[in-house]
Amino acid sequence: MLQLKPEEACGFDNITNDMLRHIPHNMVPIITDLLEYSWESGAIPKCWKHAIIQPIPKKAAATNPADFRPISLLPCFANSWNELLTVKLTKHVQLHSILTPNQYGFRSKTSTSNALLAFVNSVHKHIYTTNVNAGSTAVLIDLKAAYDSVCRFTLIRKLQKERIPAQIVKWTASLLSTRTANTRTVLADGSSQHSSTLNFDRGVPQGSSISPILFNIYINDISKQSTR
């Protein structure tokens, strides 16, 4: 709890990280029991899966919906627990080398520079090992709303295929199910207005620390095929 960042925004329950950092010591066993039950049962409280979507304007005097960037705010309690699961899953993925070397996104100590260098090296190698006059063809894919395009059933099947521990798979399945959100709009007078509740049956949760590693596993097949 002491490692939580106090400046991070909270979710719909208004429980901040700073509040969690200063909880009474006699509440620690209760919270520990709650987290252990969630882990052992593979069930996540429904309230932990509800997000507040806050539209942030990309430019001044924004009026068009396309001029706003949606920021998803999850309960701080859910974020802290997701961090623990992310660590468990990431360690397993690294230990068993599940992701291909061509995966550069959302990985520690890699960036777009690594991807660019690998691409340039591949083109250079092709030209100078085949024919100086030979050309190279690149196929570039841009996934729009990438996180929202994930099929949850397929993702769970891929986790099982990669032999991710059953408890992590079970907990992830619960994490992805029955997710809801409200959009919060701040009015000119400083008050806020909330939309009706929206249900999401696709995608990985926006604003969650575990989503990047889940998305990498989901698209890992593309990298495997590209190396053949």
Side-chain angles (χ1 to χ4, degrees), residues 9 15 71 94 174 191 197 212 226:
I15 298 177
I71 303 298
Q94 293 175 343
S174 178
S191 62
T197 300
S226 65

Coordinates of all heavy atoms in Angstrom, one line a residue, residues 9 15 71 94 174 191 197 212 226:
A9 N -5.7 9.6 -9.9 CA -7.1 9.9 -9.8 C -7.8 8.6 -9.3 O -7.4 7.5 -9.6 CB -7.7 10.3 -11.1
I15 N -12.5 6.6 -3.3 CA -11.4 6.2 -2.4 C -10.1 6.4 -3.1 O -9.8 5.8 -4.2 CB -11.6 4.7 -2.1 CG1 -12.9 4.5 -1.3 CG2 -10.5 4.2 -1.2 CD1 -13.2 3.0 -1.0
I71 N -10.4 9.1 -20.9 CA -9.6 8.5 -19.8 C -10.4 7.7 -18.9 O -11.5 8.1 -18.4 CB -8.9 9.6 -19.0 CG1 -8.1 10.5 -20.0 CG2 -8.0 9.0 -18.0 CD1 -6.9 9.8 -20.7
Q94 N 7.9 -13.9 -19.0 CA 9.3 -13.7 -19.2 C 10.1 -15.0 -18.9 O 11.0 -15.4 -19.6 CB 9.8 -12.6 -18.3 CG 9.3 -11.2 -18.7 CD 9.7 -10.1 -17.7 OE1 10.2 -10.4 -16.6 NE2 9.6 -8.9 -18.1
S174 N -12.6 -13.6 -14.9 CA -13.5 -12.8 -14.1 C -13.2 -11.3 -14.2 O -14.2 -10.5 -14.3 CB -13.3 -13.2 -12.6 OG -14.1 -12.4 -11.8
S191 N -20.0 21.6 -12.0 CA -20.7 20.4 -11.6 C -20.4 19.3 -12.6 O -19.9 19.6 -13.7 CB -22.2 20.6 -11.4 OG -22.8 21.0 -12.6
T197 N -25.4 3.8 -17.5 CA -24.4 2.8 -17.4 C -24.3 2.0 -18.7 O -25.3 1.6 -19.3 CB -24.7 1.8 -16.3 OG1 -24.8 2.5 -15.0 CG2 -23.7 0.7 -16.2
P212 N -1.9 -4.1 -21.1 CA -0.8 -4.2 -22.1 C -0.2 -5.7 -22.3 O 0.0 -6.1 -23.4 CB 0.3 -3.3 -21.5 CG -0.5 -2.3 -20.8 CD -1.6 -3.1 -20.1
S226 N 5.1 -13.8 -38.6 CA 5.9 -12.9 -39.4 C 7.4 -13.4 -39.4 O 8.2 -12.9 -40.3 CB 5.9 -11.5 -38.8 OG 6.4 -11.4 -37.5

